[in-house]
Protein backbone atom coordinates (compact mmCIF):
# COMPACT_ATOMS: atom_id res chain seq x y z
CA UNK A 1 0.00 0.00 0.00
CA UNK A 2 1.35 3.45 -0.93
CA UNK A 3 0.46 6.72 0.69
CA UNK A 4 1.53 10.20 -0.33
CA UNK A 5 3.91 11.94 2.03
CA UNK A 6 3.77 15.68 2.59
CA UNK A 7 6.89 16.33 0.48
CA UNK A 8 5.28 14.90 -2.63
CA UNK A 9 7.18 11.62 -2.35
CA UNK A 10 5.40 8.29 -2.09
CA UNK A 11 5.92 6.39 1.16
CA UNK A 12 5.36 2.66 1.33
CA UNK A 13 3.55 1.26 4.33
CA UNK A 14 4.05 -2.42 5.02
CA UNK A 15 0.77 -3.58 6.55
CA UNK A 16 2.29 -6.70 8.13
CA UNK A 17 5.04 -4.64 9.71
CA UNK A 18 2.47 -2.13 10.93
CA UNK A 19 0.44 -4.96 12.51
CA UNK A 20 3.48 -6.53 14.18
CA UNK A 21 4.74 -3.25 15.59
CA UNK A 22 1.42 -1.70 16.62
CA UNK A 23 -1.30 -2.10 19.22
CA UNK A 24 -3.17 -4.58 17.02
CA UNK A 25 -0.38 -7.06 17.76
CA UNK A 26 -1.90 -7.60 21.22
CA UNK A 27 -4.83 -9.48 19.67
CA UNK A 28 -2.55 -11.81 17.71
CA UNK A 29 -0.37 -12.32 20.78
CA UNK A 30 -3.43 -13.14 22.91
CA UNK A 31 -4.78 -15.60 20.34
CA UNK A 32 -1.43 -17.34 20.06
CA UNK A 33 -0.86 -17.66 23.78
CA UNK A 34 -4.45 -18.81 24.32
CA UNK A 35 -3.94 -21.58 21.76
CA UNK A 36 -0.76 -22.67 23.56
CA UNK A 37 -2.65 -22.90 26.86
CA UNK A 38 -5.63 -24.65 25.27
CA UNK A 39 -3.40 -27.26 23.63
CA UNK A 40 -1.51 -27.90 26.87
CA UNK A 41 -4.75 -28.39 28.80
CA UNK A 42 -6.12 -30.72 26.13
CA UNK A 43 -2.97 -32.85 25.86
CA UNK A 44 -2.70 -33.20 29.65
CA UNK A 45 -6.40 -33.94 30.15
CA UNK A 46 -9.02 -34.94 27.62
CA UNK A 47 -6.41 -35.77 24.97
CA UNK A 48 -4.63 -38.21 27.21
CA UNK A 49 -7.91 -40.02 27.90
CA UNK A 50 -8.96 -40.07 24.24
CA UNK A 51 -5.57 -41.36 23.12
CA UNK A 52 -6.01 -44.52 25.20
CA UNK A 53 -8.86 -45.69 22.98
CA UNK A 54 -6.97 -45.30 19.69
CA UNK A 55 -5.71 -48.17 17.56
CA UNK A 56 -1.98 -48.79 17.68
CA UNK A 57 -1.37 -47.06 14.35
CA UNK A 58 -3.57 -44.08 15.26
CA UNK A 59 -1.90 -43.88 18.69
CA UNK A 60 1.51 -43.71 17.00
CA UNK A 61 0.28 -40.95 14.73
CA UNK A 62 -1.25 -39.15 17.72
CA UNK A 63 2.07 -39.30 19.59
CA UNK A 64 4.04 -37.99 16.62
CA UNK A 65 1.50 -35.30 15.81
CA UNK A 66 1.34 -34.25 19.49
CA UNK A 67 5.09 -33.61 19.37
CA UNK A 68 4.71 -31.64 16.15
CA UNK A 69 1.84 -29.63 17.65
CA UNK A 70 3.82 -28.84 20.79
CA UNK A 71 6.91 -27.89 18.80
CA UNK A 72 4.88 -25.72 16.42
CA UNK A 73 3.17 -23.88 19.25
CA UNK A 74 6.39 -23.30 21.20
CA UNK A 75 8.04 -21.85 18.10
CA UNK A 76 5.05 -19.58 17.47
CA UNK A 77 5.09 -18.50 21.13
CA UNK A 78 8.81 -17.73 20.86
CA UNK A 79 8.19 -15.56 17.80
CA UNK A 80 5.31 -13.76 19.52
CA UNK A 81 7.42 -13.13 22.64
CA UNK A 82 10.22 -11.68 20.52
CA UNK A 83 7.79 -9.34 18.78
CA UNK A 84 6.33 -8.30 22.12
CA UNK A 85 9.84 -7.53 23.39
CA UNK A 86 10.44 -5.36 20.33
CA UNK A 87 7.11 -3.59 20.78
CA UNK A 88 7.82 -2.80 24.42
CA UNK A 89 11.33 -1.54 23.69
CA UNK A 90 13.06 -4.38 25.54
CA UNK A 91 14.82 -5.39 22.32
CA UNK A 92 15.71 -3.56 19.14
CA UNK A 93 14.42 -4.79 15.81
CA UNK A 94 17.96 -5.88 14.95
CA UNK A 95 18.19 -7.92 18.18
CA UNK A 96 14.83 -9.52 17.41
CA UNK A 97 15.95 -10.32 13.87
CA UNK A 98 19.09 -12.01 15.24
CA UNK A 99 17.22 -14.00 17.90
CA UNK A 100 14.37 -15.02 15.63
CA UNK A 101 16.83 -16.89 13.43
CA UNK A 102 16.63 -19.58 16.14
CA UNK A 103 12.85 -19.81 15.72
CA UNK A 104 11.55 -22.27 13.15
CA UNK A 105 8.13 -21.62 11.72
CA UNK A 106 8.06 -24.68 9.49
CA UNK A 107 6.72 -27.55 11.60
CA UNK A 108 4.64 -29.57 9.17
CA UNK A 109 1.80 -31.97 9.86
CA UNK A 110 1.05 -35.46 8.60
CA UNK A 111 -2.68 -34.78 8.26
CA UNK A 112 -2.77 -34.74 4.49
CA UNK A 113 -0.62 -37.82 3.99
CA UNK A 114 -1.69 -40.28 6.67
CA UNK A 115 -4.67 -42.60 6.28
CA UNK A 116 -5.19 -42.75 10.07
CA UNK A 117 -5.76 -39.00 10.41
CA UNK A 118 -9.54 -39.42 10.54
CA UNK A 119 -9.22 -41.79 13.52
CA UNK A 120 -7.72 -39.07 15.71
CA UNK A 121 -10.03 -37.22 18.13
CA UNK A 122 -11.86 -34.28 16.55
CA UNK A 123 -10.73 -31.88 19.26
CA UNK A 124 -7.12 -32.81 18.58
CA UNK A 125 -7.48 -32.40 14.82
CA UNK A 126 -9.04 -28.98 15.45
CA UNK A 127 -6.07 -27.88 17.58
CA UNK A 128 -3.65 -29.03 14.88
CA UNK A 129 -5.63 -27.22 12.18
CA UNK A 130 -5.78 -23.99 14.18
CA UNK A 131 -2.08 -24.18 15.00
CA UNK A 132 -1.24 -24.62 11.31
CA UNK A 133 -3.36 -21.60 10.36
CA UNK A 134 -1.67 -19.50 13.05
CA UNK A 135 1.76 -20.71 11.94
CA UNK A 136 0.93 -19.77 8.35
CA UNK A 137 -0.15 -16.27 9.41
CA UNK A 138 2.96 -15.77 11.54
CA UNK A 139 5.19 -17.06 8.72
CA UNK A 140 3.63 -14.61 6.25
CA UNK A 141 4.04 -11.73 8.66
CA UNK A 142 7.60 -12.76 9.47
CA UNK A 143 8.46 -12.96 5.78
CA UNK A 144 6.98 -9.54 5.06
CA UNK A 145 8.69 -7.88 8.01
CA UNK A 146 12.08 -9.63 8.06
CA UNK A 147 12.40 -11.15 4.60
CA UNK A 148 11.42 -14.43 2.99
CA UNK A 149 12.58 -17.82 4.25
CA UNK A 150 12.04 -20.65 1.79
CA UNK A 151 13.21 -23.49 4.07
CA UNK A 152 9.60 -24.56 4.66
CA UNK A 153 8.90 -24.81 0.94
CA UNK A 154 12.04 -26.90 0.42
CA UNK A 155 11.05 -29.19 3.28
CA UNK A 156 7.45 -29.49 2.03
CA UNK A 157 8.81 -30.82 -1.27
CA UNK A 158 10.59 -33.63 0.61
CA UNK A 159 8.03 -35.53 2.73
CA UNK A 160 10.57 -38.25 3.56
CA UNK A 161 11.71 -36.24 6.59
CA UNK A 162 8.26 -36.40 8.18
CA UNK A 163 8.00 -40.14 7.54
CA UNK A 164 11.40 -40.75 9.16
CA UNK A 165 10.29 -38.73 12.20
CA UNK A 166 7.09 -40.76 12.40
CA UNK A 167 9.03 -44.05 12.23
CA UNK A 168 11.49 -42.90 14.90
CA UNK A 169 8.56 -42.02 17.14
CA UNK A 170 6.84 -45.35 16.52
CA UNK A 171 9.92 -47.43 17.27
CA UNK A 172 11.46 -45.23 19.94
CA UNK A 173 14.72 -44.43 18.15
Amino acid sequence: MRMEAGSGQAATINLAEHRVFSGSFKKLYGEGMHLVEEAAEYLDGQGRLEAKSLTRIAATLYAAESMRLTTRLMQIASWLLLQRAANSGEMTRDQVAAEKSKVRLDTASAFDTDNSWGELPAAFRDLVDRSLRLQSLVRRMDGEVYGADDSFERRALNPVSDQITLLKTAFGR
Side-chain angles (χ1 to χ4, degrees):
M1 174 180 202
R2 298 184 73 73
M3 297 185 67
E4 292 297 320
S7 65
Q9 297 177 339
T12 302
I13 296 174
N14 182 325
L15 294 179
E17 186 171 358
H18 177 72
R19 183 174 182 192
V20 169
F21 292 101
S22 73
S24 65
F25 174 75
K26 288 180 182 178
K27 181 179 178 197
L28 176 65
Y29 179 85
E31 289 173 11
M33 293 306 179
H34 176 75
L35 186 57
V36 169
E37 290 175 17
E38 186 180 345
E41 287 176 20
Y42 174 82
L43 292 172
D44 284 341
Q46 178 185 352
R48 189 171 295 196
L49 296 173
E50 291 176 339
K52 291 179 181 180
S53 65
L54 296 173
T55 65
R56 183 172 178 221
I57 293 172
T60 301
L61 176 61
Y62 179 86
E65 200 61 38
S66 293
M67 287 189 289
R68 289 184 186 113
L69 173 64
T70 303
T71 299
R72 182 181 311 113
L73 289 173
M74 290 301 101
Q75 294 298 310
I76 291 169
S78 295
W79 189 90
L80 291 169
L81 288 166
L82 284 170
Q83 301 317 309
R84 187 179 74 168
N87 288 349
S88 68
E90 295 172 36
M91 295 177 78
T92 66
R93 287 183 64 181
D94 289 339
Q95 289 172 319
V96 170
E99 286 299 314
K100 79 161 208 67
S101 67
K102 301 170 189 171
V103 176
R104 296 188 51 108
L105 298 170
D106 63 354
T107 306
S109 177
F111 73 91
D112 59 350
T113 59
D114 197 288
N115 296 334
S116 300
W117 184 257
E119 294 178 41
L120 298 179
F124 179 75
R125 293 190 317 253
D126 179 62
L127 284 169
V128 170
D129 184 53
R130 290 169 39 214
S131 73
L132 287 167
R133 284 195 311 261
L134 181 60
Q135 178 181 252
S136 178
L137 172 63
V138 167
R139 284 188 76 245
R140 271 194 316 276
M141 292 174 73
D142 182 70
E144 290 179 29
V145 173
Y146 297 103
D149 176 12
D150 67 348
S151 63
F152 181 73
E153 285 76 16
R154 285 195 311 266
R155 184 167 173 233
L157 295 175
N158 184 3
V160 174
S161 173
D162 285 335
Q163 292 302 313
I164 290 171
T165 301
L166 189 59
L167 288 170
K168 286 179 180 177
T169 301
F171 298 105
R173 293 185 187 162

